[in-house]
């Protein structure tokens, strides 16, 4: 969970996350490669596989990996807590996978997962990536916090939901131009930003939660911009 697979460089798993040198000036390591593993996109594939097959191996793998990760990554320590965006992406993938496999998960593990998701939400709320000019990182923080706030029970997640949806509405008004194009002027980042905004919107719709009007209106423009960028064969230029 802490070693770059390309270079073999290992970040300290016990050091405070914000004290680590992510650029590793003395090593060819790339933390972004390591973060891909720790985002747990593969957990969603496990959940879908279990839905299709009802094979307990997928649940067992999910439980074993998550328990191992939690033991090796205490909150706030190690490279996997160095960015709230990474915490948000990981939490949403855990949440989706857990929802897909909920019927097959041991009750004790469901409590473990719930506690881990609450800790992830608390970390995001306390470490929002607010800089002089906010970017897709802040959007990811807010999207993750909104999804957790929509999906988890209790007053604390409800406060996350209210804050994150309000902030998302404010941020898209800043980060997305009136023509629907993301201000970072990158077709890839624009697609990422659109996906980040779309996920909590879709979940809120399913739950009957009212959303700020400008949030949905601006997200609709973002999707239209993607249509304009897309060629007839389904590809898009990387700008």
């Amino acid at each position: 969970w802490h070693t770059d697979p390309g270079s073999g460089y290992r970040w300290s798993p016990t050091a405070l996350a914000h004290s680590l040198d992510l650029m590793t000036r003395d090593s060819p390591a790339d933390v972004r490669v390591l973060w891909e593993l720790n985002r747990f996109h593969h957990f969603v594939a496990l959940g879908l596989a279990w839905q299709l097959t009802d094979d307990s191996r997928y649940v067992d793998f999910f439980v074993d990996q998550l328990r191992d990760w939690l033991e090796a990554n205490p909150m706030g320590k190690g490279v996997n807590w160095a960015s709230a965006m990474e915490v948000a992406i990981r939490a949403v993938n855990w949440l989706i996978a857990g929802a897909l496999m909920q019927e097959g998960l041991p009750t004790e593990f469901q409590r473990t997962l719930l506690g881990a998701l609450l800790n992830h939400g608390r970390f995001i709320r306390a470490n929002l990536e607010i800089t002089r000019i906010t970017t897709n990182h802040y959007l990811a923080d807010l999207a993750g916090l909104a999804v957790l706030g929509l999906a988890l029970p209790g007053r604390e997640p409800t406060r996350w939901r209210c804050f994150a949806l309000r902030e998302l509405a404010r941020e898209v008004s800043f980060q997305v131009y009136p023509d629907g194009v993301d201000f970072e002027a990158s077709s890839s980042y624009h697609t990422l930003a659109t996906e980040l905004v779309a996920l909590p919107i879709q979940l809120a719709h399913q739950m009957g939660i009212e959303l700020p009007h400008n949030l949905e209106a601006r997200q609709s423009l973002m999707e239209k911009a993607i249509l304009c960028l897309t060629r007839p064969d389904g590809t898009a230029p990387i700008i």
Side-chain angles (χ1 to χ4, degrees):
W1 304 117
H2 304 278
T3 303
D4 172 50
S7 65
Y9 183 90
R10 179 175 171 82
W11 284 270
S12 169
T14 58
L16 292 175
H18 297 306
S19 71
L20 292 170
D21 178 12
L22 300 182
M23 301 304 294
T24 57
R25 298 179 182 89
D26 60 343
S27 167
D30 188 342
V31 72
R32 293 167 297 182
V33 177
L34 176 63
W35 277 344
E36 281 299 320
L37 171 65
N38 287 276
R39 287 179 172 186
F40 283 88
H41 291 304
H42 60 285
F43 267 15
V44 179
L46 289 176
L48 293 171
W50 184 83
Q51 285 277 324
L52 291 169
T53 66
D54 201 26
D55 189 330
S56 62
R57 291 181 301 168
Y58 299 116
V59 172
D60 294 341
F61 191 73
F62 171 70
V63 171
D64 290 345
Q65 276 213 350
L66 196 141
R67 281 179 171 160
D68 188 74
W69 192 96
L70 290 174
E71 183 177 349
N73 293 271
M75 188 165 70
K77 293 185 178 180
V79 73
N80 296 311
W81 294 97
S83 166
M85 178 180 188
E86 299 304 316
V87 177
I89 293 172
R90 179 168 63 243
V92 170
N93 282 328
W94 286 3
L95 179 67
I96 293 173
L100 288 168
M101 290 186 275
Q102 184 174 5
E103 294 180 4
L105 294 175
T107 302
E108 178 187 355
F109 178 78
Q110 290 187 37
R111 290 193 291 266
T112 297
L113 176 59
L114 176 59
L117 291 173
L118 286 169
N119 281 337
H120 274 57
R122 288 163 183 157
F123 184 91
I124 298 166
R125 185 66 181 89
N127 295 274
L128 294 168
E129 295 169 276
I130 302 175
T131 56
R132 186 175 62 85
I133 298 178
T134 50
T135 66
N136 63 85
H137 273 246
Y138 188 45
L139 278 185
D141 300 345
L142 294 172
L145 198 61
V147 169
L148 290 172
L150 286 161
L152 299 180
R155 294 182 180 179
E156 187 176 16
T158 298
R159 290 196 296 269
W160 299 342
R161 181 194 78 200
C162 295
F163 165 79
L165 291 177
R166 184 176 66 248
E167 273 294 284
L168 271 175
R170 191 187 69 82
E171 275 300 304
V172 294
S173 296
F174 165 70
Q175 294 195 30
V176 181
Y177 293 123
D179 62 0
V181 176
D182 182 82
F183 86 109
E184 293 191 70
S186 157
S187 54
S188 298
Y189 273 141
H190 175 84
T191 304
L192 170 64
T194 305
E195 292 173 345
L196 290 172
V197 176
L199 184 57
I201 288 177
Q202 290 176 2
L203 186 56
H205 280 166
Q206 292 174 11
M207 299 180 64
I209 302 294
E210 186 175 354
L211 292 165
H213 172 71
N214 68 307
L215 176 59
E216 295 188 85
R218 194 57 59 99
Q219 194 261 344
S220 177
L221 290 172
M222 295 169 78
E223 291 182 344
K224 289 180 181 178
I226 291 176
L227 287 175
C228 292
L229 281 168
T230 305
R231 301 185 182 103
D233 66 356
T235 62
I238 299 177
I239 301 172

